[in-house]
Amino acid sequence: MSHVVVLGAGLGGTIMAYELRDALGKAHRVSVVNNGSSYSFVPSNPWVAVGWRSREAIEVDLTKVFGRRGIELYPQGAKSVHPAEKRIELNDGAALSYDYLVIATGPDLAFDEIEGFGPAANTQSVCHVDHALQAKTAFDELVKNPGPVIIGAVQGASCFGPAYEFAFILDKALRDAKVRDKVPMTFVTSEPYIGHLGLDGVGDTKGLLESELRQHHIKWITNARVDKVEPATLHVSEIAEDGSVQRTHELPHRFMMMLPAFRGVEAVRGIEGLTNPRGFIVVDAHQRNPAFPQVFGIGVCVAIPPVGKTPVPVGVPKTGFMIESMVTATARNIARLVDGKEPDAQGTWNAVCLADFGDSGIAFVAQPQIPPRNVNWSASGKWVHTAKVGFEKYFLHKIRSGKSEPFYEKLALQVLGIDKLKDVKIDLEKDKAPA
């Protein structure tokens, strides 16, 4: 019997556990280590921050569903990973050994890298449901006492979609509250241009998002490096192509939400061969770590180099569907290793994104996510908002039911021509298990 441990129960880790259980059957052990026993649907956090969702509406207690699926849950979380020993030290002092480990922790949020930045200081966040609930309190105060708002993403950020989403969702919430006319808004981003998204754009995201910002009376600053945040003032340097400071800005704010840079979590950071200098997991084409072949990485915690050089550091996002393709490849590869075969599956890393704007939105498909692409498409309209709400309900249903990909989802993706795995080349000799 093999024991496979998944570290993290977010979007990737929870689905990973379900797919491993399906791929390995009941003859093998599947465990999940997580901080707590709840799954939270992070894409809904911008709605939580303006009161459109409650915590209860977007969270799932994993205890019962994992129990039904025969998945062990260790909610005390991990203190440190010891890959050479194939062991995890848990936060309560216990140890958990594994045959294979899938690291799906998501990121550590690097608020401390900028003075005065983060929900413990002078800005809000939608990266965690706790942060979003704190932002809701600040939003209520903004409605009572309107003033300047700043939304965006700082240097080193790699997840830009939620920043755009929250800017437009906040705009809609303020219009509903009849105070938008008293709230000047500025979008401040490390991207070299609006709609870059860490991907050098997808389709016409530059034109679409610039148009939306103009229509919603939101000014913007690109190539922005946040220097420090004071309680009522944001200090920003606008960086030129040669790296010099082109101009500086001191922007007043009464409410500010900017996405932080990410780094690897403390439990894995600094392990030679496992992580890069930023603490992200190094993986090969099969999601497998070259130095520790029993270890796989999926999701936001995986190291991906930037698309290209930019005046201000910009990371590459790992979107939901891209993560799910990593999950499916990893489940197949671990099942093959358990059977004595070699990994053969590679995720497509296709990106399918719905960015909600409160009453409209932008959708894009990038196949693959990293250019050059076979498909490079984007569109906007009110249908995107409806689709995003539907996706939220559907994905939470998947988590609650313990299913990773029902047959009708597979069918829909096939119809759209969106694949999770690259074509697998079958080598009959390599496929034979050792005698």
Side-chain angles (χ1 to χ4, degrees), residues 153-412:
V154 306
Q155 57 269 26
S158 58
C159 189
F160 296 92
Y164 286 102
E165 282 192 305
F166 189 64
F168 295 115
I169 287 169
L170 183 61
D171 170 88
K172 173 66 163 61
L174 291 170
R175 282 187 278 121
D176 290 346
K178 309 298 183 184
V179 295
R180 179 65 178 88
D181 60 315
K182 300 176 183 177
V183 181
M185 294 179 66
T186 307
F187 192 83
V188 178
T189 179
S190 53
E191 299 163 275
Y193 58 83
I194 291 297
H196 180 279
L197 302 171
L199 298 169
D200 201 12
V202 180
D204 189 29
T205 49
K206 181 179 188 294
L208 288 172
L209 285 167
E210 283 187 353
S211 177
E212 291 286 348
L213 288 172
R214 289 191 190 96
Q215 289 180 35
H216 289 81
H217 310 287
I218 301 173
K219 298 179 180 180
W220 66 80
I221 300 172
T222 55
N223 285 321
R225 184 190 69 203
V226 173
D227 298 318
K228 67 176 179 178
V229 187
E230 294 178 335
T233 307
L234 170 66
H235 297 265
V236 175
S237 294
E238 195 173 343
I239 306 303
E241 289 292 327
D242 63 0
S244 64
V245 176
Q246 185 171 332
R247 62 178 62 88
T248 59
H249 304 266
E250 293 185 1
L251 304 175
H253 66 90
R254 185 157 292 168
F255 180 104
M256 177 175 163
M257 196 296 295
M258 293 189 73
L259 298 175
F262 294 161
R263 62 191 171 205
V265 300
E266 190 173 351
V268 301
R269 209 183 307 154
I271 300 175
E272 186 174 354
L274 181 66
T275 64
N276 70 4
R278 192 70 182 165
F280 293 116
I281 308 301
V282 177
V283 296
D284 63 14
H286 302 297
Q287 305 299 139
R288 193 180 189 186
N289 179 255
F292 302 100
Q294 298 84 15
V295 179
F296 290 74
I298 63 165
V300 180
C301 68
V302 168
I304 301 178
V307 169
K309 187 177 180 180
T310 53
V312 180
V314 168
V316 175
K318 296 101 175 181
T319 67
F321 188 83
M322 181 184 183
I323 294 172
E324 290 196 60
S325 79
M326 296 182 191
V327 166
T328 299
T330 300
R332 176 181 170 90
N333 290 332
I334 290 177
R336 288 178 61 81
L337 286 167
V338 168
D339 287 343
K341 303 172 184 177
E342 286 300 306
D344 65 354
Q346 299 181 35
T348 56
W349 289 19
N350 290 333
V352 181
C353 182
L354 299 170
D356 174 57
F357 293 172
D359 52 5
S360 64
I362 285 181
F364 66 79
V365 176
Q367 297 188 34
Q369 177 157 297
I370 309 300
R373 304 183 178 109
N374 295 313
V375 177
N376 192 45
W377 171 87
S378 60
S380 62
K382 293 184 180 297
W383 65 270
V384 180
H385 171 71
T386 302
K388 186 65 175 278
V389 172
F391 177 74
E392 175 201 45
K393 296 182 184 302
Y394 168 68
F395 199 89
L396 284 168
H397 170 73
K398 284 208 303 183
I399 299 296
R400 293 187 179 105
S401 64
K403 296 180 180 179
S404 63
E405 187 182 54
F407 77 92
Y408 45 82
E409 180 181 342
K410 291 183 180 180
L411 180 61

